[in-house]
Amino acid sequence: MPSSAEFVQRVVHAIGTGEGSAWVKRGVSLLGILAIVVTFMYNFRGLATSQAMDQAQIGRSLASGHGWRTQYARPISVAQLQRHGRNVPQQIWFDTYNAPLPPLLNAIALFPVKSRLAPNPGSAIYIGDRLIVFLAMLLLLGSIVIQFFTAWRLFDRRLALLACVLILFCDTLWQYSVSGLPQMLLLFLFNGTLYALVRALEAKYQGGAVGPWLAAVGAGFGLLALTHGLTIWIFVPALIFMAFFFEPRGWAAALVLAVFLALYLPWLIRTWIVCGNPAGIALYSALDGLGGHTEMGWMRQAAFSLTGVGPGALREKIIANLILQMGRIFEYLGSSVVAAMFFVSLLHLFRRNETAILRWMLLAMWAGAVIGMAAFGLKEELGYSANQLHLLFIPLMTCYGLAWLLVQWNRLDIPGQLARIGFLVLLFILTVFPMGNSLYEMLLGSPKITVHWPPYAPPLISNLNTWMKPEEITASDMPWAIAWYANRRSLLLPETVKAMLDLNDYGILGSPVLSVYLTPVSGGENKLNDIVRGEYSDWSSLILQTADMSKSPFKWGTLELGYDRECAFLSDHDRHPRTAP
């Protein structure tokens, strides 16, 4: 058995001769990735958006064996169910807003600890939040691995490796990985779909079997649509492109479309059975910004009316959103100089046929995504947008941009390896600067509150689990948080007080609405004029805490809750919520 000194000598010799240097590089890379993951997890402050929490609570239901059921009801669901003759008390607790795969992915993350998911007022960060985000980080890393093999086929191994390093340090991707939104699942599926598309292009030019790879492309787009319906805007231009590119014309598109529909149609049929509309209430999200209402404003309507909605308003909305996207396109592409160079690379003649043709297909898919985002909007919550699809194109755009930049550098014919290394280092610094700034803020910046306050305070919200019984309903301006952190039924605050009283008095929901929980969503985050004249105007007296409680059905109240005392819990009787922070 060799001594320690001999072992060290062999290791040093292996590194010096290059035999072990590859493993050293891999080890250092893994440690770097682990350091990034640990840093983001350590500074994690919980899920950040309504859709993330909504999908998380449905995922918990799936993990518990209850199917795609929800604890979060929207008044517009009542109008839709009644219009189609459905049983409101029963069907309203089946989700018809979210795509099915994000909750299913969350269920996979939550299943190992499903017995430990009880609300915990003593913990600032819910255990379910951490597991969902950790799985999203794994998907991000997995998508980069897929991207490496795609770039290797389109360019070469060295460029693929350099591009993946730049993608790994993209701050936008890491920030969305801790949001709880399904963007990392989308990225993983999109990169897999692009890989299958590249293989189909190779098969066409090399005389191989195209059909299996096109079927994989159709499956990829079907899974994307089951993750986020907005990706259909990416699928349509890709389908048109394939219809004209592959021969015999129309055959490839028919195959891709058939596989896509085989995956997507069952979910549409299920949703139609539940509520009478295959798109569910997600269809109304397209009305965001129309008729003077936000998406949430439309969802609060128990009596649906299209007043104020017309072609002119839709045109203005689309134009405004297009201008918004173009004005922030650099930010949406991860603030990456290299990714932005993709658009300039369109002027370059790439030698490989598949590399040359894919960039135009990529451009067509990106244009479709831009139009879709313009139609549905890019409403942000705490800096995140559930409809942000630009980030899906960051990896492959980075590859094309890097290829173009390297070609231009070679044309300068500057001698010396040191100059080339300096050029690459400059690109790296420019690309990773946003992430470096984020890491600096997390590690050396001023201390931040451990949750996303305002408006979310999970320890406070989880108290509703003991204040309310499982069959009782709480009306709130943040019902998604109650459904996730308190695991209690919640109703989005209807547009008017009368609408809520009608829902309660006529037993439309099947269970009584016995409490109201108000937060900065309707109060502290809005100006006084917005509260008095905006979408919550009918609730302004309760929000401002000026109502005569003796005339209200919610006579008992615990006011001035929360870190800044901006929350209020009102109920039909004293529920003794004296343990709240």
Side-chain angles (χ1 to χ4, degrees):
M1 182 175 181
S3 64
S4 299
E6 292 176 343
F7 175 76
V8 172
Q9 187 176 11
R10 290 182 181 179
V11 171
V12 172
H13 176 73
I15 295 174
T17 57
E19 296 177 4
S21 60
W23 289 104
V24 172
K25 293 176 182 178
R26 291 167 188 165
V28 172
S29 300
L30 288 175
L31 287 175
I33 293 171
L34 182 61
I36 295 173
V37 171
V38 170
T39 301
F40 274 91
M41 289 296 292
Y42 179 76
N43 289 273
F44 178 56
R45 296 191 290 161
L47 301 185
T49 67
S50 58
Q51 188 163 319
M53 296 176 201
D54 188 17
Q55 293 174 348
Q57 58 97 11
I58 300 170
R60 180 175 55 201
S61 175
L62 283 166
S64 302
H66 301 306
W68 273 273
R69 296 182 68 88
T70 180
Q71 299 273 52
Y72 168 21
R74 299 165 177 85
I76 203 168
S77 294
V78 175
Q80 187 181 67
L81 291 169
Q82 289 178 333
R83 187 166 61 252
H84 293 95
R86 298 301 194 267
N87 185 325
V88 176
Q90 180 183 21
Q91 302 298 88
I92 200 170
W93 303 111
F94 286 93
D95 179 62
T96 61
Y97 178 84
N98 296 283
L101 287 192
L104 184 59
L105 180 71
N106 291 339
I108 294 172
L110 298 173
F111 186 79
V113 296
K114 63 179 182 179
S115 60
R116 298 171 54 196
L117 292 176
N120 183 9
S123 176
I125 306 298
Y126 189 33
I127 184 175
D129 290 8
R130 293 191 184 277
L131 291 173
I132 289 171
V133 164
F134 181 71
L135 184 54
M137 289 183 174
L138 293 181
L139 286 173
L140 170 58
L141 297 176
S143 67
I144 295 176
V145 172
I146 297 174
Q147 183 62 44
F148 171 77
F149 291 104
T150 302
W152 192 351
R153 288 187 170 275
L154 290 173
F155 304 99
D156 56 52
R157 185 178 181 277
R158 180 173 295 181
L159 185 142
L161 186 60
L162 290 173
C164 286
V165 170
L166 296 178
I167 297 166
L168 179 64
F169 286 93
C170 178
D171 186 58
T172 297
L173 298 181
W174 284 99
Q175 293 295 343
Y176 268 86
S177 74
V178 297
S179 68
L181 290 169
Q183 261 67 7
M184 293 304 102
L185 176 58
L186 286 171
L187 184 64
F188 183 83
L189 294 173
F190 187 61
N191 281 358
T193 303
L194 289 175
Y195 177 81
L197 188 55
V198 170
R199 296 302 301 267
L201 292 172
E202 288 180 339
K204 170 184 167 57
Y205 286 113
Q206 297 172 12
V210 177
W213 291 112
L214 288 178
V217 171
F221 277 115
L223 294 175
L224 282 166
L226 290 172
T227 303
H228 200 313
L230 204 58
T231 57
I232 294 176
W233 291 82
I234 299 175
F235 173 59
V236 171
L239 188 67
I240 295 172
F241 202 103
M242 286 183 283
F244 288 95
F245 181 74
F246 291 96
E247 296 178 353
R249 289 189 176 180
W251 172 83
L255 175 61
V256 172
L257 182 61
V259 177
F260 172 85
L261 292 177
L263 286 172
Y264 194 52
L265 276 179
W267 181 255
L268 296 182
I269 294 172
R270 171 264 179 194
T271 306
W272 176 78
I273 292 172
V274 171
C275 68
N277 189 314
I281 58 172
L283 179 67
Y284 302 114
S285 62
L287 299 175
D288 178 47
L290 300 177
H293 295 293
T294 62
E295 177 188 337
M296 205 61 67
W298 286 106
M299 295 295 173
R300 293 175 58 220
Q301 293 190 11
F304 179 68
S305 172
L306 284 174
T307 303
V309 177
L314 179 60
R315 184 186 70 254
E316 291 178 3
K317 171 189 173 181
I318 291 176
I319 292 175
N321 283 330
L322 285 174
I323 293 173
L324 170 68
Q325 289 184 72
M326 294 305 102
R328 298 178 60 183
I329 188 62
F330 183 65
E331 175 188 347
Y332 286 147
L333 291 178
S335 301
S336 171
V337 174
V338 179
M341 289 297 104
F342 162 77
F343 300 101
V344 184
S345 73
L346 296 172
L347 304 175
H348 180 67
L349 296 176
F350 289 97
R351 294 180 180 179
R352 294 184 183 179
N353 291 327
E354 54 268 28
T355 305
I357 198 67
L358 184 64
R359 57 181 173 160
W360 296 109
M361 190 178 291
L362 186 68
L363 179 65
M365 290 188 289
W366 175 77
V370 168
I371 296 172
M373 287 182 282
F376 281 78
L378 279 168
K379 177 178 64 70
E380 292 187 349
E381 298 178 55
L382 299 179
Y384 303 103
S385 173
N387 291 342
Q388 217 281 53
L389 299 184
H390 289 285
L391 61 82
L392 302 184
F393 298 87
I394 292 175
L396 197 52
M397 285 186 172
T398 297
C399 296
Y400 275 99
L402 180 60
W404 183 82
L405 287 169
L406 291 178
V407 168
Q408 302 312 308
W409 174 263
N410 291 335
R411 287 177 176 175
L412 294 176
D413 200 22
I414 299 177
Q417 187 68 14
L418 185 61
R420 182 180 178 84
I421 294 175
F423 174 67
L424 294 176
V425 170
L426 177 62
L427 290 181
F428 179 81
I429 293 174
L430 291 175
T431 304
V432 306
F433 177 78
M435 186 167 182
N437 186 58
S438 293
L439 293 175
Y440 175 83
E441 287 295 325
M442 286 188 282
L443 297 173
L444 302 174
S446 56
K448 298 179 181 179
I449 191 169
T450 56
V451 296
H452 287 293
W453 176 266
Y456 300 113
L460 171 61
I461 299 169
S462 62
N463 279 299
L464 271 69
N465 180 265
T466 56
W467 300 351
M468 304 296 295
K469 297 178 181 179
E471 70 277 6
E472 296 175 336
I473 302 173
T474 299
S476 177
D477 51 18
M478 60 158 60
W480 50 88
I482 295 175
W484 173 229
Y485 291 118
N487 195 15
R488 285 293 180 261
R489 288 185 170 183
S490 54
L491 170 71
L492 180 62
L493 208 64
E495 190 173 27
T496 65
V497 176
K498 183 181 182 304
M500 193 189 74
L501 294 178
D502 288 343
L503 290 175
N504 202 30
D505 293 345
Y506 294 105
I508 294 175
L509 300 177
S511 299
V513 181
L514 299 179
S515 64
V516 175
Y517 183 64
L518 301 172
T519 74
V521 170
S522 60
E525 290 188 338
N526 299 293
K527 297 179 180 179
L528 179 61
N529 185 66
D530 296 329
I531 297 173
V532 175
R533 299 183 180 180
E535 291 186 339
Y536 292 95
S537 59
D538 206 63
W539 295 88
S540 59
S541 60
L542 282 178
I543 295 171
L544 298 173
Q545 301 179 11
T546 59
D548 183 357
M549 301 305 294
S550 63
K551 298 180 180 179
S552 169
F554 310 107
K555 295 179 171 54
W556 295 88
T558 302
L559 309 179
E560 298 185 348
L561 297 174
Y563 298 109
D564 296 325
R565 303 196 176 280
E566 294 184 47
C567 301
F569 176 75
L570 312 172
S571 181
D572 62 324
H573 68 274
D574 188 0
R575 296 175 182 267
H576 303 289
R578 298 190 177 90
T579 59

mmCIF file of all heavy atoms in Angstrom, residues 24-44:
data_model
loop_
_atom_site.group_PDB
_atom_site.id
_atom_site.type_symbol
_atom_site.label_atom_id
_atom_site.label_comp_id
_atom_site.label_asym_id
_atom_site.label_seq_id
_atom_site.Cartn_x
_atom_site.Cartn_y
_atom_site.Cartn_z
ATOM 1 N N VAL A 24 -10.066 17.736 -11.707
ATOM 2 C CA VAL A 24 -9.925 18.900 -10.826
ATOM 3 C C VAL A 24 -10.866 20.010 -11.274
ATOM 4 O O VAL A 24 -11.560 20.640 -10.460
ATOM 5 C CB VAL A 24 -8.467 19.400 -10.811
ATOM 6 C CG1 VAL A 24 -8.371 20.726 -10.059
ATOM 7 C CG2 VAL A 24 -7.550 18.365 -10.175
ATOM 8 N N LYS A 25 -10.913 20.246 -12.596
ATOM 9 C CA LYS A 25 -11.802 21.277 -13.129
ATOM 10 C C LYS A 25 -13.263 20.950 -12.835
ATOM 11 O O LYS A 25 -14.052 21.819 -12.478
ATOM 12 C CB LYS A 25 -11.586 21.429 -14.629
ATOM 13 C CG LYS A 25 -10.222 21.994 -15.015
ATOM 14 C CD LYS A 25 -10.047 22.021 -16.524
ATOM 15 C CE LYS A 25 -8.665 22.537 -16.911
ATOM 16 N NZ LYS A 25 -8.454 22.522 -18.385
ATOM 17 N N ARG A 26 -13.631 19.672 -13.003
ATOM 18 C CA ARG A 26 -15.004 19.276 -12.718
ATOM 19 C C ARG A 26 -15.335 19.463 -11.247
ATOM 20 O O ARG A 26 -16.430 19.909 -10.882
ATOM 21 C CB ARG A 26 -15.217 17.820 -13.125
ATOM 22 C CG ARG A 26 -15.184 17.599 -14.633
ATOM 23 C CD ARG A 26 -15.076 16.132 -14.980
ATOM 24 N NE ARG A 26 -14.867 15.949 -16.412
ATOM 25 C CZ ARG A 26 -14.456 14.819 -16.958
ATOM 26 N NH1 ARG A 26 -14.213 13.760 -16.190
ATOM 27 N NH2 ARG A 26 -14.298 14.732 -18.268
ATOM 28 N N GLY A 27 -14.370 19.104 -10.383
ATOM 29 C CA GLY A 27 -14.597 19.269 -8.950
ATOM 30 C C GLY A 27 -14.782 20.723 -8.558
ATOM 31 O O GLY A 27 -15.681 21.062 -7.779
ATOM 32 N N VAL A 28 -13.931 21.591 -9.118
ATOM 33 C CA VAL A 28 -14.052 23.024 -8.835
ATOM 34 C C VAL A 28 -15.380 23.564 -9.355
ATOM 35 O O VAL A 28 -16.047 24.371 -8.692
ATOM 36 C CB VAL A 28 -12.869 23.796 -9.461
ATOM 37 C CG1 VAL A 28 -13.092 25.303 -9.342
ATOM 38 C CG2 VAL A 28 -11.562 23.401 -8.784
ATOM 39 N N SER A 29 -15.793 23.106 -10.545
ATOM 40 C CA SER A 29 -17.068 23.553 -11.123
ATOM 41 C C SER A 29 -18.243 23.141 -10.244
ATOM 42 O O SER A 29 -19.149 23.940 -9.988
ATOM 43 C CB SER A 29 -17.238 22.978 -12.529
ATOM 44 O OG SER A 29 -16.200 23.405 -13.382
ATOM 45 N N LEU A 30 -18.211 21.897 -9.774
ATOM 46 C CA LEU A 30 -19.291 21.417 -8.904
ATOM 47 C C LEU A 30 -19.337 22.192 -7.597
ATOM 48 O O LEU A 30 -20.425 22.520 -7.093
ATOM 49 C CB LEU A 30 -19.123 19.925 -8.627
ATOM 50 C CG LEU A 30 -19.414 18.988 -9.812
ATOM 51 C CD1 LEU A 30 -19.093 17.544 -9.436
ATOM 52 C CD2 LEU A 30 -20.876 19.104 -10.224
ATOM 53 N N LEU A 31 -18.174 22.507 -7.048
ATOM 54 C CA LEU A 31 -18.136 23.299 -5.819
ATOM 55 C C LEU A 31 -18.689 24.702 -6.059
ATOM 56 O O LEU A 31 -19.401 25.253 -5.211
ATOM 57 C CB LEU A 31 -16.703 23.379 -5.292
ATOM 58 C CG LEU A 31 -16.148 22.101 -4.650
ATOM 59 C CD1 LEU A 31 -14.683 22.297 -4.279
ATOM 60 C CD2 LEU A 31 -16.963 21.728 -3.411
ATOM 61 N N GLY A 32 -18.363 25.280 -7.228
ATOM 62 C CA GLY A 32 -18.891 26.601 -7.556
ATOM 63 C C GLY A 32 -20.402 26.589 -7.686
ATOM 64 O O GLY A 32 -21.097 27.477 -7.174
ATOM 65 N N ILE A 33 -20.940 25.571 -8.374
ATOM 66 C CA ILE A 33 -22.395 25.456 -8.519
ATOM 67 C C ILE A 33 -23.049 25.261 -7.163
ATOM 68 O O ILE A 33 -24.080 25.875 -6.854
ATOM 69 C CB ILE A 33 -22.730 24.282 -9.460
ATOM 70 C CG1 ILE A 33 -22.254 24.596 -10.882
ATOM 71 C CG2 ILE A 33 -24.229 23.997 -9.449
ATOM 72 C CD1 ILE A 33 -22.356 23.420 -11.827
ATOM 73 N N LEU A 34 -22.440 24.402 -6.336
ATOM 74 C CA LEU A 34 -22.981 24.168 -4.994
ATOM 75 C C LEU A 34 -22.985 25.453 -4.173
ATOM 76 O O LEU A 34 -23.945 25.726 -3.431
ATOM 77 C CB LEU A 34 -22.155 23.092 -4.288
ATOM 78 C CG LEU A 34 -22.619 22.700 -2.877
ATOM 79 C CD1 LEU A 34 -24.033 22.137 -2.914
ATOM 80 C CD2 LEU A 34 -21.651 21.695 -2.261
ATOM 81 N N ALA A 35 -21.947 26.261 -4.319
ATOM 82 C CA ALA A 35 -21.876 27.526 -3.585
ATOM 83 C C ALA A 35 -22.999 28.474 -4.010
ATOM 84 O O ALA A 35 -23.615 29.147 -3.163
ATOM 85 C CB ALA A 35 -20.513 28.189 -3.809
ATOM 86 N N ILE A 36 -23.284 28.510 -5.312
ATOM 87 C CA ILE A 36 -24.380 29.359 -5.801
ATOM 88 C C ILE A 36 -25.711 28.893 -5.237
ATOM 89 O O ILE A 36 -26.523 29.691 -4.755
ATOM 90 C CB ILE A 36 -24.411 29.364 -7.345
ATOM 91 C CG1 ILE A 36 -23.139 30.011 -7.896
ATOM 92 C CG2 ILE A 36 -25.643 30.116 -7.844
ATOM 93 C CD1 ILE A 36 -23.014 29.895 -9.404
ATOM 94 N N VAL A 37 -25.951 27.565 -5.295
ATOM 95 C CA VAL A 37 -27.207 27.010 -4.785
ATOM 96 C C VAL A 37 -27.378 27.314 -3.295
ATOM 97 O O VAL A 37 -28.444 27.757 -2.855
ATOM 98 C CB VAL A 37 -27.256 25.486 -5.032
ATOM 99 C CG1 VAL A 37 -28.440 24.863 -4.314
ATOM 100 C CG2 VAL A 37 -27.329 25.193 -6.525
ATOM 101 N N VAL A 38 -26.317 27.095 -2.530
ATOM 102 C CA VAL A 38 -26.386 27.338 -1.083
ATOM 103 C C VAL A 38 -26.649 28.812 -0.798
ATOM 104 O O VAL A 38 -27.444 29.163 0.088
ATOM 105 C CB VAL A 38 -25.086 26.874 -0.397
ATOM 106 C CG1 VAL A 38 -25.041 27.340 1.057
ATOM 107 C CG2 VAL A 38 -24.971 25.353 -0.461
ATOM 108 N N THR A 39 -26.005 29.700 -1.553
ATOM 109 C CA THR A 39 -26.190 31.137 -1.334
ATOM 110 C C THR A 39 -27.632 31.557 -1.587
ATOM 111 O O THR A 39 -28.239 32.278 -0.791
ATOM 112 C CB THR A 39 -25.245 31.947 -2.245
ATOM 113 O OG1 THR A 39 -23.893 31.590 -1.973
ATOM 114 C CG2 THR A 39 -25.425 33.444 -2.010
ATOM 115 N N PHE A 40 -28.200 31.100 -2.706
ATOM 116 C CA PHE A 40 -29.586 31.454 -3.008
ATOM 117 C C PHE A 40 -30.562 30.814 -2.025
ATOM 118 O O PHE A 40 -31.554 31.444 -1.630
ATOM 119 C CB PHE A 40 -29.934 31.047 -4.446
ATOM 120 C CG PHE A 40 -29.576 32.079 -5.469
ATOM 121 C CD1 PHE A 40 -28.336 32.059 -6.098
ATOM 122 C CD2 PHE A 40 -30.460 33.093 -5.798
ATOM 123 C CE1 PHE A 40 -27.990 33.021 -7.036
ATOM 124 C CE2 PHE A 40 -30.131 34.063 -6.741
ATOM 125 C CZ PHE A 40 -28.890 34.024 -7.359
ATOM 126 N N MET A 41 -30.307 29.596 -1.598
ATOM 127 C CA MET A 41 -31.191 28.942 -0.643
ATOM 128 C C MET A 41 -31.099 29.610 0.731
ATOM 129 O O MET A 41 -32.101 29.745 1.431
ATOM 130 C CB MET A 41 -30.842 27.464 -0.522
ATOM 131 C CG MET A 41 -31.225 26.644 -1.756
ATOM 132 S SD MET A 41 -33.010 26.599 -2.062
ATOM 133 C CE MET A 41 -33.575 25.646 -0.667
ATOM 134 N N TYR A 42 -29.899 30.030 1.107
ATOM 135 C CA TYR A 42 -29.722 30.674 2.413
ATOM 136 C C TYR A 42 -30.444 32.014 2.468
ATOM 137 O O TYR A 42 -30.977 32.411 3.509
ATOM 138 C CB TYR A 42 -28.230 30.865 2.692
ATOM 139 C CG TYR A 42 -27.937 31.548 4.009
ATOM 140 C CD1 TYR A 42 -28.043 30.852 5.208
ATOM 141 C CD2 TYR A 42 -27.575 32.890 4.053
ATOM 142 C CE1 TYR A 42 -27.791 31.468 6.428
ATOM 143 C CE2 TYR A 42 -27.314 33.523 5.263
ATOM 144 C CZ TYR A 42 -27.423 32.803 6.443
ATOM 145 O OH TYR A 42 -27.183 33.426 7.654
ATOM 146 N N ASN A 43 -30.463 32.715 1.334
ATOM 147 C CA ASN A 43 -31.117 34.026 1.285
ATOM 148 C C ASN A 43 -32.557 33.945 0.782
ATOM 149 O O ASN A 43 -33.184 34.978 0.537
ATOM 150 C CB ASN A 43 -30.321 34.968 0.373
ATOM 151 C CG ASN A 43 -28.997 35.388 0.990
ATOM 152 O OD1 ASN A 43 -28.923 36.352 1.741
ATOM 153 N ND2 ASN A 43 -27.941 34.649 0.671
ATOM 154 N N PHE A 44 -33.070 32.740 0.655
ATOM 155 C CA PHE A 44 -34.436 32.534 0.165
ATOM 156 C C PHE A 44 -35.444 33.078 1.172
ATOM 157 O O PHE A 44 -35.349 32.830 2.370
ATOM 158 C CB PHE A 44 -34.660 31.037 -0.062
ATOM 159 C CG PHE A 44 -36.035 30.674 -0.531
ATOM 160 C CD1 PHE A 44 -36.566 31.236 -1.677
ATOM 161 C CD2 PHE A 44 -36.796 29.760 0.182
ATOM 162 C CE1 PHE A 44 -37.826 30.879 -2.115
ATOM 163 C CE2 PHE A 44 -38.057 29.391 -0.250
ATOM 164 C CZ PHE A 44 -38.579 29.962 -1.395
#
